[in-house]
């Protein structure tokens, strides 16, 4: 399977990375260590060389597992992690003060068992700290040799430009899929202009575009989809299911699965876009990896664009507290419904 790499800050990576949140929390119970290491090892064996984790994933446990998986293979991996968003006394907090960012980086390096992180993101904006101060601290970490590149997550074009004026921003991570089109409002174009890679998280719609649950009411009690994402609620979810009919038809024409179609669609949106689906399944990992070789015609991309136009999604992508924690642009109809 011949696939052309994409780049982050000039470094080549396989066009589809691996988001490492699922292995420790979010969509059900955490994986046991043996299975998690097997999954991560298989990703590396396949040539998936972009692993994306964060301080908050499993309260540091994801970083520990990734660190174990790459301990003998550091040279095979483009390693990303995130700071600012974490837990304190069991509560989720935002802390982008320069001293906190530096302390968080040292803790991440220790958990990962590495001397340097390739890409270190601010996981969320902190409304109490100017972005310039936070990026200034990250640039000092670059100078100290603790990180190589700086990234942002869930921020809009305005904050990206302010941050980039302090230090080049290698990547912007945003939710982007057929089901969530908000980056198309402004940040995708800003990334293209500034040479910033758009790292698309949840590119298969938190499972909606892969194995859609028949009844979200049966989610495991630890599954965030039952709490934080209104599109999976009992009142909204049935209205979204009809969107899948066209996706299934297009997937059949393209000779791929719906999940592969969703990933191929993100890749078709620009050479600067890299999706990072997460999974706990070896079969899904391999299926997602093969999507790097799936090519969609411009006509099919346009057809999917029209069918999944933003206003057709039923329900907001975040609960009100979740939306308040991000700086991503919203469509006017979303603002009106808030």
């Amino acid at each position: 399977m011949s696939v052309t790499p994409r780049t982050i800050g000039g470094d080549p990576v396989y066009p589809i990375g691996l988001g490492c949140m699922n292995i420790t929390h979010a969509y059900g119970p955490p994986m046991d260590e043996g299975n998690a290491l097997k999954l991560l090892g298989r990703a590396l064996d396949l040539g998936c060389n972009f692993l994306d984790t964060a301080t908050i994933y499993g309260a540091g446990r994801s970083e520990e597992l990734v660190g174990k998986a790459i301990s003998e293979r550091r040279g095979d991996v483009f390693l990303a992690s995130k700071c600012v968003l974490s837990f304190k006394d069991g509560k989720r907090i935002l802390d982008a003060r320069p001293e906190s960012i530096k302390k968080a980086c040292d803790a991440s390096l220790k958990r990962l068992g590495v001397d340097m992180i390739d890409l270190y993101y601010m996981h969320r904006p902190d409304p109490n700290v100017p972005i310039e101060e936070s990026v200034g601290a990250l640039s000092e970490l670059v100078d100290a040799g603790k990180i190589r590149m700086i990234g942002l997550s869930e921020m809009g074009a305005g904050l990206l430009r302010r941050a980039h004026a302090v230090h080049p921003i290698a990547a912007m991570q945003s939710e982007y899929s057929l089901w969530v089109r908000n980056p198309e409002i402004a940040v995708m174009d800003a990334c293209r202009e500034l040479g910033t890679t758009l790292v698309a998280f949840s590119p298969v719609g938190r499972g909606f575009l892969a194995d859609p649950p028949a009844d979200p009411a049966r989610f495991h009690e630890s599954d965030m989809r039952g709490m934080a994402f209104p599109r999976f609620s009992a009142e909204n979810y049935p209205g979204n299911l009809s969107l899948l009919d066209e996706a299934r038809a297009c997937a059949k024409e393209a000779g791929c699965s719906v999940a592969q179609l969703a990933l191929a669609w993100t890749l078709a949106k620009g050479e600067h876009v890299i999706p990072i689906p997460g999974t706990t399944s070896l079969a899904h990992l391999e299926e997602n990896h093969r999507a790097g070789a799936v090519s969609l015609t411009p006509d099919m991309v346009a057809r999917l664009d029209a069918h999944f136009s933003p206003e057709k999604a039923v329900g907001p992508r975040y609960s009100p507290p979740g939306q308040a924690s991000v700086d991503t642009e919203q469509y006017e109809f979303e603002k009106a419904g808030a």
Side-chain angles (χ1 to χ4, degrees):
M1 184 173 70
S2 178
V3 176
T4 302
R6 297 200 169 185
T7 60
I8 302 175
D11 281 20
V13 297
Y14 189 79
I16 297 172
L18 177 64
C20 299
M21 178 176 72
N22 306 40
I23 62 175
T24 54
H25 83 288
Y27 301 139
M31 300 180 76
D32 66 65
E33 181 169 315
N35 285 330
L37 294 177
K38 185 177 180 181
L39 181 89
L40 293 167
R42 180 58 179 153
L44 298 179
D45 291 344
L46 289 169
C48 175
N49 61 338
F50 176 21
L51 301 184
D52 189 292
T53 183
T55 293
I56 200 171
Y57 298 165
R61 181 59 175 156
S62 175
E63 288 182 319
E64 291 173 353
L65 290 168
V66 169
K68 287 185 178 182
I70 69 172
S71 61
E72 303 296 327
R73 308 179 67 171
R74 181 64 182 95
D76 296 339
V77 182
F78 183 90
L79 178 62
S81 194
K82 310 177 192 71
C83 60
V84 175
L85 186 59
S86 62
F87 286 112
K88 184 177 182 180
D89 300 325
K91 295 183 179 179
R92 197 165 109 152
I93 63 165
L94 288 170
D95 189 350
R97 293 174 297 170
E99 62 270 25
S100 298
I101 285 176
K102 292 176 181 179
K103 184 178 179 181
C105 181
D106 286 340
S108 287
L109 288 168
K110 184 177 180 179
R111 285 190 293 267
L112 289 161
V114 298
D115 297 324
M116 177 184 284
I117 298 169
D118 295 306
L119 172 64
Y120 201 49
Y121 305 87
M122 288 181 62
H123 206 155
R124 292 289 189 276
D126 183 345
N128 298 313
V129 182
I131 190 78
E132 290 82 1
E133 292 184 15
S134 302
V135 174
L138 289 165
S139 69
E140 291 176 15
L141 290 173
V142 173
D143 292 340
K146 293 183 177 182
I147 66 175
R148 293 179 55 232
M149 305 176 193
I150 297 172
L152 306 177
S153 178
E154 286 286 75
M155 302 187 202
L159 284 182
L160 171 59
R161 293 184 190 282
R162 285 172 56 189
H164 195 80
V166 177
H167 188 281
I169 302 300
M172 170 66 80
Q173 186 167 144
S174 290
E175 183 174 4
Y176 186 44
S177 70
L178 285 165
W179 210 21
V180 174
R181 305 279 291 279
N182 298 71
E184 295 176 7
I185 299 172
V187 82
M188 276 189 72
D189 285 343
C191 284
R192 186 181 288 107
E193 174 191 333
L194 298 173
T196 299
T197 300
L198 181 75
V199 177
F201 77 83
S202 296
V204 292
R206 305 184 189 275
F208 177 72
L209 297 163
D211 288 326
D215 181 5
R218 302 171 88 174
F219 281 143
H220 188 272
E221 61 182 9
S222 65
D223 194 320
M224 294 194 311
R225 290 175 293 182
M227 300 172 279
F229 307 118
R231 291 183 184 177
F232 288 97
S233 70
E235 59 269 29
N236 292 332
Y237 189 67
N240 284 302
L241 284 175
S242 61
L243 289 169
L244 293 174
D245 293 340
E246 182 70 2
R248 291 182 179 118
C250 286
K252 186 176 181 180
E253 290 177 32
C256 64
S257 69
V258 173
Q260 289 173 330
L261 179 86
L263 293 169
W265 176 88
T266 64
L267 293 173
K269 303 306 285 187
E271 292 294 323
H272 66 309
V273 180
I274 298 176
I276 52 166
T279 186
T280 59
S281 161
L282 284 169
H284 286 170
L285 172 73
E286 295 182 3
E287 176 186 344
N288 292 341
H289 190 76
R290 291 194 299 273
V294 175
S295 180
L296 304 182
T297 66
D299 285 346
M300 183 170 287
V301 172
R303 180 172 150 190
L304 288 165
D305 284 352
H307 184 76
F308 282 88
S309 57
E311 69 277 4
K312 291 183 181 179
V314 181
R317 76 179 182 109
Y318 277 140
S319 63
Q323 186 59 48
S325 74
V326 302
D327 180 62
T328 49
E329 289 87 3
Q330 288 185 284
Y331 291 96
E332 290 301 323
F333 71 86
E334 291 178 301
K335 296 176 187 178

